Each structure stands twice: as structure tokens, then as C-alpha cells.
Amino acid sequence: MSFEEMWAALLPVGRDGGSGGYHRFAWTPPELECRDWFLGEARRRGLDVEHDGNGNLFAWWNPAGAQGPAVVTGSHLDSVPGGGAFDGPLGVVSALAAIDLLRDEGFRPGRPVGVAVFAEEEGARFGVACLGSRLLTGAIDPERARGLRDADGLSFAEVVAAHGLDERQPVGPDEGLLARIGCFVELHVEQGRALDGPVGVASAIIPHGRWRMRFTGEGDHAGTTGLSDRRDPMLPFAHAVLAARDSAARHDGVATVGKVGVVPGGVNAIPSSVTAWLDARGPTDDAVRRTVGETVEAARRAAVEHGVDVEVTEESYSAVVAFDHSLRDRIATTLGGVPVLPTGAGHDAGILSARVPAAMLFVRNPTGVSHAPAEHAEIGDCLAGVEALASVLKNLTGG
Ligand code: HGY
Ligand code: MN
Ligand code: MN
Ligand code: MN
């Protein structure tokens, strides 16, 4: 199957017919269908497929004579709610297409080549981004991961056990598997507006994190409750939204407070509680911490003013990732001097980089929009990305 045919097969899975946005949450039917599609394509190519015990999939190309730690590529198949088509799947489809390209020209790698599909990269179901790669690398306690719950109250452990992985999952840091990975190179659609060529190389991922904010007030009638009698959690929530934006602007960062739950949600009822997430990112750890501090401070002040309780918990934090310079430069040279640029988006490659040399290739996104239906990459640039990934795999596997 060509890149175009693989892309056409995956494109409709989990897409909302109206908005065009994707709903592929980890281990829900659309993402399971994407996983099955990947396993089918891997087996069709004679790759050895493996569940790693942390919810991640690996497919290995082990030609005779290939030895030593593998060069692994791949990405993720899950999406944010209403996400775009390319964030994640482009890296997975491009990995399979790059292997096809190398095989078609008769290339035999001197090292094994792996294709990884990491679980819950967006953290859209269980709240922690890059959950699968964090488990693999030991960046999250497996016991904490087991207990993470989705919006329906199902735990991560129950969900992975229900999908063929035995109840011992997740296994947590897997030193044996990590030792088999010589380096990880993730191809990803660019999620900003900075890449002005078909393909670029990542220099860094800026610091970023997520904080859960729970505002608890008192549910009541919207028509019969005087303002002075109210304990409305929507008000400190509203203060948090504005404070995050103002603070991020002061510290050259970006911050978003998104509402993820209101109990009850009736238009004519004052909600009893609001659960929100703060996503804060910035050029330095200090900038991010200041934005979090100022946002939480504003929310707490408003909470006191309105008789509301507020609880803030840090769910995940990633310090700056400066990708391995020698690998980055080797890849940029292999590609003939393409743009090298940082990203404000988190990636499994960022998590892996704490344990193995990691790098990223970006494919141009003409809209610059991501995590929304307008996310896009032209087919010509996608094919340029496949060729770039193939030449990087060729160079790194000592062919
Ligand atoms: O949210 C992010 O930064 C990434 O797209 N998962
Ligand atoms: Mn992604
Ligand atoms: Mn994403
Ligand atoms: Mn107020």
C-alpha cells in the first residue's frame, strides 16, 4: 500500500462528519481501529509486532545480519477532542511508507528498525500527556498510572486489562526494551507557523505542563438565588482564564485554562463545581512557574471572594528538551541543511530523549493550525517527509 492508500484508509476513522474533527481517545473504538489497522499493515510487511506491557505497540524490521540497538521511528494514533488528522498518524504512516521506500530500493539496514505507536500521547482520556512513553521510560509511577481515571471513572488499569493486556499492566520502566532502542526519530506535522520549507528538524521542546483546577461552590437555582447568597465556581474559573492569558503575555509564554467539567451544567442552575485544566508553556521553567503561580493566585483570590473552594494539582510537567545535538546535526546534514526550529508542542520524542538519543522531523503545515480540523499538510510535503525519514533511517542504520 502506498502512502496515499494508507492515508486514505486511516482518514475516516474517528472523524466527526460535521466538524471534521477527530475523536480518537486511547482505547476507544476509533483508536482501537487505528491500532488494528497499524498491526495489520505491520504484519503485511512481515514486521514482528509487540505489545510492550505499557500500552505501546512496536513493530520490528529485523533483516538477517541486522544487529545492535535499533533505530526506532513512529509516533501516536490518539487525538485531542476534535483534533486534526495529522497530529500523530502522519508519523506512523510515514514510518511504514519509509520502510517500503527502503525495501523497494533493495536497502538492507545494518541495524534493526522499529516503528513505535505510543499510547495516550495527548492525555485526552486519562489526563497525563505522553502516558505510554512516560511509563516506558519511568517518567511516571506505574501505580499512579494504574489509578488514573477517565471521564466515566474507568481506571487506566481496567481499560488496558479489558483490551487483551493482562492485569499486571502497566509494567512501568522497561530497561530491556530501552536497551534495544539506539535512538528514536519521530516525524510529526508542524504545529505552528514557523516552518517555511517541506521538512524541518526540531531543536528543542519548550517547558510545559498541566495543572488540574477544581472549583467547588454550591449548586443552586439561577433565578431564585440572590447574588450575595451564591457560591458560584464559574467566577473563580473565569478569573483563572483571564489571569492565565495576562500572565503568559507578561512572561513571553502561552497559557490556556480549559473547562472540562461543570456539575450540574443546566443553564438555569448555578453549578456546584467546575473542573478546569491549566496548560502553561514558556521559554523557561521560571516563566512557566510564574504563569502558574499568578493564575492560581488570581483564582484563589476570586475563590475567597465568592465563597468557593479551589484545589490545584500538577498533573504533568516537562522541562525544556534540547534534542541530542549530534543526532540533530547528523540528521540536518543528511537532509541537506533543512530548517532547525523549536516547538511549543510536547511529543513522545521529548519523553524518550531522557533515556535515548531522540530527534524529530517536522512536515510543513500551511495553516499552522493544530489540535483542530484545520490542521493540514499537503501531500507533496508528506511525501517529502517520507523520503526524508527514509534517508535518515538509511543513514542511521549504517546502510
Ligand atoms: O499538547 C501537546 O503539546 C502535544 O500536541 N501533545
Ligand atoms: Mn502529537
Ligand atoms: Mn497533539
Ligand atoms: Mn469576581
Side-chain angles (χ1 to χ4, degrees), residues 186-273:
E186 180 172 5
L187 181 145
H188 204 281
V189 66
E190 215 267 329
Q191 295 175 287
R193 295 152 175 78
L195 179 54
D196 56 6
V199 175
V201 174
S203 56
I205 297 176
I206 68 169
H208 62 284
R210 284 183 190 184
W211 289 262
R212 188 195 300 259
M213 304 177 85
R214 208 188 304 275
F215 301 97
T216 308
E218 188 176 37
D220 211 328
H221 194 293
T224 59
T225 312
L227 294 186
S228 60
D229 296 329
R230 295 182 178 205
R231 292 176 54 221
D232 184 350
M234 288 297 285
L235 290 161
F237 162 69
H239 278 262
V241 171
L242 295 173
R245 166 77 185 228
D246 294 348
S247 175
R250 280 197 299 279
H251 304 304
D252 300 325
V254 287
T256 315
V257 175
K259 169 179 60 60
V260 291
V262 178
V263 179
V267 66
N268 54 354
I270 300 164
S272 54
S273 75

Side-chain angles (χ1 to χ4, degrees), residues 16-396:
D16 176 293
S19 68
Y22 283 81
H23 298 271
R24 294 171 175 164
F25 308 145
W27 288 290
T28 61
E31 200 247 5
L32 289 167
E33 187 178 337
C34 292
R35 282 170 170 256
D36 289 344
W37 172 87
F38 169 73
L39 292 171
E41 287 301 310
R43 290 189 177 104
R44 186 205 304 261
R45 290 167 173 79
L47 305 182
D48 301 322
V49 298
E50 175 183 359
H51 291 267
D52 77 340
N54 284 309
N56 307 307
L57 305 175
F58 283 82
W60 301 101
W61 177 19
N62 283 307
Q67 52 193 347
V71 175
V72 179
T73 181
S75 190
H76 62 95
L77 293 171
D78 66 304
S79 76
V80 298
F86 296 82
D87 177 352
L90 182 63
V92 175
V93 176
S94 300
L96 294 170
I99 288 176
D100 292 348
L101 213 56
L102 293 174
R103 282 175 162 176
D104 290 350
E105 64 178 62
F107 173 75
R108 291 172 69 82
R111 291 175 173 276
V113 175
V115 181
V117 173
F118 287 106
E120 182 71 339
E121 191 273 351
E122 299 291 1
R125 180 167 185 181
F126 294 101
V128 174
C130 298
L131 185 56
S133 51
R134 287 179 193 272
L135 280 163
L136 168 62
T137 58
I140 186 170
D141 174 353
E143 277 320 301
R144 177 183 170 214
R146 294 178 63 81
L148 293 173
R149 293 189 179 278
D150 67 8
D152 299 325
L154 276 177
S155 74
F156 181 72
E158 288 163 325
V159 169
V160 292
H163 290 290
L165 303 170
D166 67 47
E167 62 284 351
R168 283 176 297 114
Q169 313 294 350
V171 297
D174 187 337
E175 297 306 329
L177 177 49
L178 288 170
R180 291 160 57 196
I181 301 174
C183 66
F184 176 63
V185 183
E186 180 172 5
L187 181 145
H188 204 281
V189 66
E190 215 267 329
Q191 295 175 287
R193 295 152 175 78
L195 179 54
D196 56 6
V199 175
V201 174
S203 56
I205 297 176
I206 68 169
H208 62 284
R210 284 183 190 184
W211 289 262
R212 188 195 300 259
M213 304 177 85
R214 208 188 304 275
F215 301 97
T216 308
E218 188 176 37
D220 211 328
H221 194 293
T224 59
T225 312
L227 294 186
S228 60
D229 296 329
R230 295 182 178 205
R231 292 176 54 221
D232 184 350
M234 288 297 285
L235 290 161
F237 162 69
H239 278 262
V241 171
L242 295 173
R245 166 77 185 228
D246 294 348
S247 175
R250 280 197 299 279
H251 304 304
D252 300 325
V254 287
T256 315
V257 175
K259 169 179 60 60
V260 291
V262 178
V263 179
V267 66
N268 54 354
I270 300 164
S272 54
S273 75
V274 174
T275 301
W277 284 90
L278 165 61
D279 179 318
R281 313 192 189 203
T284 63
D285 288 326
D286 282 352
V288 176
R289 294 291 176 192
R290 274 199 296 269
T291 291
V292 174
E294 290 168 6
T295 303
V296 172
E297 174 53 34
R300 289 196 192 286
R301 267 201 311 275
V304 169
E305 181 191 344
H306 295 280
V308 170
D309 297 324
V310 56
E311 182 196 350
V312 180
T313 48
E314 179 170 298
E315 295 291 344
S316 64
Y317 187 71
S318 300
V320 62
V321 168
F323 284 112
D324 179 283
H325 285 193
S326 60
L327 181 59
R328 180 199 68 191
D329 295 346
R330 178 170 174 176
I331 288 173
T333 306
T334 303
L335 299 181
V338 295
V340 179
L341 64 163
T343 178
H347 296 282
D348 293 308
I351 303 299
L352 266 288
S353 72
R355 299 300 311 274
V356 299
M360 292 192 75
L361 300 184
F362 290 133
V363 171
R364 175 167 49 190
N365 171 347
T367 69
V369 172
S370 184
H371 284 185
E375 181 182 274
H376 187 64
E378 298 294 345
I379 184 64
D381 287 349
C382 293
L383 296 177
V386 171
E387 282 179 27
L389 182 59
S391 59
V392 167
L393 295 177
K394 191 175 193 176
N395 176 277
L396 294 176

